[in-house]
Amino acid sequence: MAGIGSSNYWEDLRKQARQLENELDLKLVSFSKLCTSYSSSRDGHRGDTSDTTPLLNNSTQDRMFDTMSVEIEQLLAKLTAVNDKMAEYTNAPGTTSLNAALMHTLQRHRDILQDYTHEFHKTKGNFLAIREREDLLGSVRKDIETYKSGSGVNNRRTELFLKEHEHLRNSDRLMDDTI
């Protein structure tokens, strides 16, 4: 593996790694913006009574989230594979003279991979927590609205029963007074 061809192999691996890192960086920025817009769009619909607008909007965002998650996971897997190939190259016989520089470059690519992986999992976890929280709050809000709309009918019934009860007590009192 040593020699001119192996130097080109190392450079090709570095180019692949840098290309994947750049692509990952762009995807992670877009992913972060998507997750942020999800929470702000949900906040904006708090007072909205229309069920269709937030539902359609969030289902689209959920699909985008799933699609971007898969794409980022695939890019992370590719970058991991490239880093593994770079590690194999540094451990190959004949590269010992350049080993310190190669190891430094490899370590830098591993650190970048680790940072991107951490950022992805953190953003994804935050998004899932926001979505779960909003789903819970949404169902609680729906239950409250259902209770309020149902209790209005119950309040009228209760008022009618109380009036009827008061009429009966008054009639009973009049009867007692008469007797």
Side-chain angles (χ1 to χ4, degrees):
M1 255 186 146
I4 296 173
S6 63
S7 174
N8 286 339
Y9 180 71
W10 174 256
E11 287 303 316
D12 288 343
L13 289 175
R14 284 188 57 201
K15 285 178 186 177
Q16 286 177 5
R18 284 193 303 256
Q19 179 185 6
L20 289 169
E21 289 166 356
N22 289 336
E23 198 172 337
L24 264 168
D25 188 42
L26 293 172
K27 291 274 186 192
L28 286 171
V29 168
S30 298
F31 187 67
S32 179
K33 286 180 182 177
L34 173 73
C35 293
T36 303
S37 69
Y38 180 87
S39 62
S40 65
S41 73
R42 292 293 287 232
D43 292 342
H45 292 296
R46 283 219 163 109
D48 194 8
T49 57
S50 172
D51 288 336
T52 56
T53 305
L55 181 62
L56 292 174
N57 186 23
N58 289 329
S59 66
T60 302
Q61 284 183 321
D62 289 342
R63 283 193 303 272
M64 283 294 296
F65 170 80
D66 293 338
T67 302
M68 289 185 79
S69 292
V70 169
E71 289 174 1
I72 291 172
E73 287 170 351
Q74 289 171 347
L75 287 172
L76 288 170
K78 287 178 184 178
L79 186 56
T80 302
V82 170
N83 282 354
D84 290 344
K85 288 178 185 177
M86 291 171 81
E88 288 174 17
Y89 179 81
T90 59
N91 293 330
T95 58
T96 53
S97 61
L98 303 172
N99 210 12
L102 297 180
M103 289 303 290
H104 176 73
T105 303
L106 175 61
Q107 187 59 43
R108 180 67 188 130
H109 286 289
R110 283 183 175 165
D111 290 343
I112 291 170
L113 173 63
Q114 184 179 10
D115 289 345
Y116 285 160
T117 303
H118 177 73
E119 182 181 344
F120 170 66
H121 289 299
K122 181 180 171 186
T123 305
K124 185 177 179 180
N126 289 341
F127 176 83
L128 293 174
I130 288 169
R131 186 168 66 179
E132 183 177 342
R133 179 179 172 271
E134 290 298 322
D135 288 345
L136 285 172
L137 289 176
S139 68
V140 168
R141 282 188 200 108
K142 186 186 273 186
D143 291 345
I144 290 171
E145 290 300 318
T146 302
Y147 176 75
K148 283 182 179 178
S149 66
S151 66
V153 172
N154 289 337
N155 282 342
R156 281 186 266 135
R157 286 183 185 165
T158 304
E159 285 178 29
L160 290 173
F161 286 133
L162 286 173
K163 283 183 181 179
E164 186 67 29
H165 180 68
E166 189 63 32
H167 289 299
L168 287 173
R169 284 184 51 212
N170 287 339
S171 296
D172 192 36
R173 195 175 312 127
L174 284 173
M175 294 283 285
D176 285 344
D177 289 346
T178 306
I179 294 177

